[in-house]
Amino acid sequence: MADKNIPQYEQFAKQAVNYSKEHIFQRDVEITPISVSNKGAIQGVIYVNKKNFAHNLLEVGLAYAEALGKAEQVFYSEYKQHEKTAQTKNIGIWKAGIPIGSSSKSNSYKPIKDVRNVIVSEAYDPEKIYCQFPEESSTLSKVEKELSAFKSGEKIELPAKKGTPCVAKFTDGNWYRGVIEKVAGNEKTCTVKYIDYGNTDDVPTDFIYKAPPSLLTIKPLAHKCALAFVSSPLEGTNGYFEASDRVKELLFDKKISAHFFYEDATTKYFVAYDKKATGIKDSINYKIVAEGLGKVEDGIPTSADDLAYLREVEDDARSNRTGGWANNDFQEEEDY
């Protein structure tokens, strides 16, 4: 958990160490090894009184669940349940409101039903769209007002971890909240994602500072979204670049009506309308599939009629080798 760029991390890291010493130091424990790193460090599970000690740390809010590799993914769902205990009680790291990141991607979809107007602040492709919610506009104004008075602070310490929150200057000369995505090999620049808009930029490290505590407690105001029922062409293909350009043309910097159908751990999925909605045939999702720039996802819950319409127009695009189907730029088990 410790991160020298976030003092609160250091605070809770020390609490976690002290808690662990109190409960396992000079005690009989059982250890089940899972993996060994290249440097010989053993990763595994510690059992105290036949209970996985990680559960204790999660339940008191001194740890959070993260699945970076196969070894961790075995326990991820189990750990998330124990993590929820601390979240519900609002204790430990959850009460402090410090940013908690996870590199895992969930394929478990939860149905939701919500219709709202949103502003698309960034659009990369059909599966990666960032939206601002109008009801959070006052919070965004508050953040921008505080940042407008930002002059300088404590510079980010390098090497910084991916996901480290920061304040970074953008090309317009203004300061914005961000997180570190990547540090260049020479440590002269970092790729920063601006969390209230969703865009990224390579920023000189001289213009990246530690985030003030007052800004750490405010969640990112750009919500990661995607077009429901649609998957993108494979990255790097001509079809992908066409889809990316088209999604940006149709959505970027526009106010749309978003009909949310389901979500996973990181993303909300919607059907997008740029005018009055009368059915999925009027949606941007339908348009992307019709132009061969999106493939209908399998295994996603939706109405039979909606799925039939999307499948029909997908078949037409595939038969006519439209867009990404010209070179079969989609992940397919068989060739067409």
mmCIF file of all heavy atoms in Angstrom, residues 220-241:
data_model
loop_
_atom_site.group_PDB
_atom_site.id
_atom_site.type_symbol
_atom_site.label_atom_id
_atom_site.label_comp_id
_atom_site.label_asym_id
_atom_site.label_seq_id
_atom_site.Cartn_x
_atom_site.Cartn_y
_atom_site.Cartn_z
ATOM 1 N N PRO A 220 -12.896 10.621 -9.019
ATOM 2 C CA PRO A 220 -12.774 11.105 -10.405
ATOM 3 C C PRO A 220 -14.141 11.476 -10.966
ATOM 4 O O PRO A 220 -15.127 10.775 -10.760
ATOM 5 C CB PRO A 220 -12.179 9.902 -11.137
ATOM 6 C CG PRO A 220 -11.441 9.143 -10.080
ATOM 7 C CD PRO A 220 -12.250 9.312 -8.829
ATOM 8 N N LEU A 221 -14.194 12.570 -11.684
ATOM 9 C CA LEU A 221 -15.470 13.077 -12.200
ATOM 10 C C LEU A 221 -15.691 12.719 -13.663
ATOM 11 O O LEU A 221 -16.727 13.070 -14.229
ATOM 12 C CB LEU A 221 -15.540 14.592 -11.996
ATOM 13 C CG LEU A 221 -15.471 15.018 -10.520
ATOM 14 C CD1 LEU A 221 -15.415 16.540 -10.392
ATOM 15 C CD2 LEU A 221 -16.652 14.458 -9.736
ATOM 16 N N ALA A 222 -14.735 12.028 -14.258
ATOM 17 C CA ALA A 222 -14.928 11.456 -15.590
ATOM 18 C C ALA A 222 -15.183 9.962 -15.403
ATOM 19 O O ALA A 222 -14.329 9.235 -14.899
ATOM 20 C CB ALA A 222 -13.699 11.684 -16.470
ATOM 21 N N HIS A 223 -16.363 9.516 -15.761
ATOM 22 C CA HIS A 223 -16.771 8.132 -15.555
ATOM 23 C C HIS A 223 -16.466 7.312 -16.809
ATOM 24 O O HIS A 223 -16.863 7.703 -17.915
ATOM 25 C CB HIS A 223 -18.265 8.058 -15.247
ATOM 26 C CG HIS A 223 -18.649 8.832 -14.017
ATOM 27 N ND1 HIS A 223 -18.767 8.240 -12.778
ATOM 28 C CD2 HIS A 223 -18.933 10.154 -13.838
ATOM 29 C CE1 HIS A 223 -19.108 9.160 -11.887
ATOM 30 N NE2 HIS A 223 -19.210 10.327 -12.505
ATOM 31 N N LYS A 224 -15.772 6.187 -16.607
ATOM 32 C CA LYS A 224 -15.451 5.340 -17.748
ATOM 33 C C LYS A 224 -16.701 4.614 -18.214
ATOM 34 O O LYS A 224 -17.364 3.927 -17.433
ATOM 35 C CB LYS A 224 -14.357 4.331 -17.395
ATOM 36 C CG LYS A 224 -13.875 3.560 -18.626
ATOM 37 C CD LYS A 224 -12.815 2.532 -18.287
ATOM 38 C CE LYS A 224 -12.415 1.761 -19.540
ATOM 39 N NZ LYS A 224 -11.517 0.641 -19.244
ATOM 40 N N CYS A 225 -17.017 4.763 -19.492
ATOM 41 C CA CYS A 225 -18.209 4.157 -20.078
ATOM 42 C C CYS A 225 -17.834 3.454 -21.375
ATOM 43 O O CYS A 225 -16.699 3.505 -21.828
ATOM 44 C CB CYS A 225 -19.267 5.227 -20.361
ATOM 45 S SG CYS A 225 -19.803 6.149 -18.900
ATOM 46 N N ALA A 226 -18.820 2.787 -21.965
ATOM 47 C CA ALA A 226 -18.626 2.105 -23.238
ATOM 48 C C ALA A 226 -19.982 1.941 -23.907
ATOM 49 O O ALA A 226 -21.026 1.980 -23.245
ATOM 50 C CB ALA A 226 -17.961 0.743 -23.030
ATOM 51 N N LEU A 227 -19.970 1.748 -25.217
ATOM 52 C CA LEU A 227 -21.205 1.470 -25.932
ATOM 53 C C LEU A 227 -21.668 0.062 -25.571
ATOM 54 O O LEU A 227 -20.908 -0.899 -25.709
ATOM 55 C CB LEU A 227 -21.002 1.581 -27.442
ATOM 56 C CG LEU A 227 -20.641 2.969 -27.981
ATOM 57 C CD1 LEU A 227 -20.510 2.926 -29.507
ATOM 58 C CD2 LEU A 227 -21.679 4.009 -27.570
ATOM 59 N N ALA A 228 -22.894 -0.055 -25.104
ATOM 60 C CA ALA A 228 -23.421 -1.359 -24.705
ATOM 61 C C ALA A 228 -23.576 -2.275 -25.921
ATOM 62 O O ALA A 228 -23.904 -1.818 -27.023
ATOM 63 C CB ALA A 228 -24.779 -1.184 -24.027
ATOM 64 N N PHE A 229 -23.309 -3.558 -25.696
ATOM 65 C CA PHE A 229 -23.516 -4.642 -26.671
ATOM 66 C C PHE A 229 -22.535 -4.603 -27.841
ATOM 67 O O PHE A 229 -22.694 -5.351 -28.798
ATOM 68 C CB PHE A 229 -24.953 -4.626 -27.241
ATOM 69 C CG PHE A 229 -26.006 -4.287 -26.243
ATOM 70 C CD1 PHE A 229 -26.877 -3.239 -26.458
ATOM 71 C CD2 PHE A 229 -26.129 -5.011 -25.068
ATOM 72 C CE1 PHE A 229 -27.849 -2.907 -25.529
ATOM 73 C CE2 PHE A 229 -27.103 -4.701 -24.129
ATOM 74 C CZ PHE A 229 -27.962 -3.641 -24.364
ATOM 75 N N VAL A 230 -21.515 -3.728 -27.776
ATOM 76 C CA VAL A 230 -20.624 -3.529 -28.926
ATOM 77 C C VAL A 230 -19.171 -3.696 -28.496
ATOM 78 O O VAL A 230 -18.754 -3.159 -27.469
ATOM 79 C CB VAL A 230 -20.814 -2.118 -29.530
ATOM 80 C CG1 VAL A 230 -19.870 -1.904 -30.706
ATOM 81 C CG2 VAL A 230 -22.266 -1.906 -29.966
ATOM 82 N N SER A 231 -18.397 -4.434 -29.272
ATOM 83 C CA SER A 231 -16.959 -4.527 -29.041
ATOM 84 C C SER A 231 -16.211 -3.928 -30.227
ATOM 85 O O SER A 231 -16.706 -3.923 -31.357
ATOM 86 C CB SER A 231 -16.522 -5.979 -28.818
ATOM 87 O OG SER A 231 -16.817 -6.774 -29.948
ATOM 88 N N SER A 232 -15.024 -3.422 -29.964
ATOM 89 C CA SER A 232 -14.227 -2.727 -30.973
ATOM 90 C C SER A 232 -13.482 -3.713 -31.876
ATOM 91 O O SER A 232 -13.234 -4.857 -31.487
ATOM 92 C CB SER A 232 -13.192 -1.824 -30.294
ATOM 93 O OG SER A 232 -13.792 -0.940 -29.397
ATOM 94 N N PRO A 233 -13.073 -3.263 -33.051
ATOM 95 C CA PRO A 233 -12.106 -4.043 -33.828
ATOM 96 C C PRO A 233 -10.811 -4.182 -33.031
ATOM 97 O O PRO A 233 -10.571 -3.437 -32.072
ATOM 98 C CB PRO A 233 -11.895 -3.200 -35.086
ATOM 99 C CG PRO A 233 -13.110 -2.330 -35.179
ATOM 100 C CD PRO A 233 -13.510 -2.045 -33.759
ATOM 101 N N LEU A 234 -9.987 -5.120 -33.397
ATOM 102 C CA LEU A 234 -8.730 -5.342 -32.694
ATOM 103 C C LEU A 234 -7.839 -4.108 -32.789
ATOM 104 O O LEU A 234 -7.715 -3.497 -33.858
ATOM 105 C CB LEU A 234 -7.996 -6.554 -33.284
ATOM 106 C CG LEU A 234 -8.689 -7.909 -33.128
ATOM 107 C CD1 LEU A 234 -7.921 -8.979 -33.873
ATOM 108 C CD2 LEU A 234 -8.820 -8.280 -31.661
ATOM 109 N N GLU A 235 -7.224 -3.760 -31.665
ATOM 110 C CA GLU A 235 -6.358 -2.579 -31.641
ATOM 111 C C GLU A 235 -5.218 -2.726 -32.651
ATOM 112 O O GLU A 235 -4.639 -3.794 -32.813
ATOM 113 C CB GLU A 235 -5.778 -2.368 -30.240
ATOM 114 C CG GLU A 235 -6.796 -1.828 -29.250
ATOM 115 C CD GLU A 235 -6.146 -1.266 -28.001
ATOM 116 O OE1 GLU A 235 -5.109 -0.594 -28.119
ATOM 117 O OE2 GLU A 235 -6.676 -1.519 -26.904
ATOM 118 N N GLY A 236 -4.899 -1.619 -33.318
ATOM 119 C CA GLY A 236 -3.813 -1.613 -34.287
ATOM 120 C C GLY A 236 -4.255 -1.891 -35.708
ATOM 121 O O GLY A 236 -3.478 -1.683 -36.649
ATOM 122 N N THR A 237 -5.490 -2.332 -35.895
ATOM 123 C CA THR A 237 -5.989 -2.613 -37.251
ATOM 124 C C THR A 237 -6.581 -1.342 -37.851
ATOM 125 O O THR A 237 -6.912 -0.382 -37.149
ATOM 126 C CB THR A 237 -7.077 -3.701 -37.222
ATOM 127 O OG1 THR A 237 -8.199 -3.232 -36.456
ATOM 128 C CG2 THR A 237 -6.540 -4.975 -36.594
ATOM 129 N N ASN A 238 -6.738 -1.369 -39.181
ATOM 130 C CA ASN A 238 -7.373 -0.223 -39.840
ATOM 131 C C ASN A 238 -8.786 -0.016 -39.316
ATOM 132 O O ASN A 238 -9.242 1.116 -39.141
ATOM 133 C CB ASN A 238 -7.396 -0.433 -41.358
ATOM 134 C CG ASN A 238 -6.015 -0.319 -41.978
ATOM 135 O OD1 ASN A 238 -5.131 0.342 -41.429
ATOM 136 N ND2 ASN A 238 -5.818 -0.960 -43.129
ATOM 137 N N GLY A 239 -9.485 -1.135 -39.086
ATOM 138 C CA GLY A 239 -10.844 -1.041 -38.575
ATOM 139 C C GLY A 239 -10.899 -0.340 -37.228
ATOM 140 O O GLY A 239 -11.818 0.441 -36.953
ATOM 141 N N TYR A 240 -9.903 -0.612 -36.383
ATOM 142 C CA TYR A 240 -9.870 0.029 -35.070
ATOM 143 C C TYR A 240 -9.705 1.540 -35.212
ATOM 144 O O TYR A 240 -10.402 2.317 -34.544
ATOM 145 C CB TYR A 240 -8.743 -0.533 -34.209
ATOM 146 C CG TYR A 240 -8.611 0.179 -32.882
ATOM 147 C CD1 TYR A 240 -9.442 -0.152 -31.815
ATOM 148 C CD2 TYR A 240 -7.699 1.221 -32.712
ATOM 149 C CE1 TYR A 240 -9.366 0.517 -30.612
ATOM 150 C CE2 TYR A 240 -7.613 1.903 -31.515
ATOM 151 C CZ TYR A 240 -8.447 1.542 -30.460
ATOM 152 O OH TYR A 240 -8.386 2.227 -29.279
ATOM 153 N N PHE A 241 -8.778 1.959 -36.064
ATOM 154 C CA PHE A 241 -8.547 3.397 -36.216
ATOM 155 C C PHE A 241 -9.772 4.092 -36.815
ATOM 156 O O PHE A 241 -10.100 5.216 -36.441
ATOM 157 C CB PHE A 241 -7.307 3.641 -37.079
ATOM 158 C CG PHE A 241 -6.028 3.182 -36.418
ATOM 159 C CD1 PHE A 241 -5.226 2.231 -37.029
ATOM 160 C CD2 PHE A 241 -5.642 3.682 -35.191
ATOM 161 C CE1 PHE A 241 -4.063 1.793 -36.423
ATOM 162 C CE2 PHE A 241 -4.475 3.255 -34.573
ATOM 163 C CZ PHE A 241 -3.683 2.308 -35.192
#
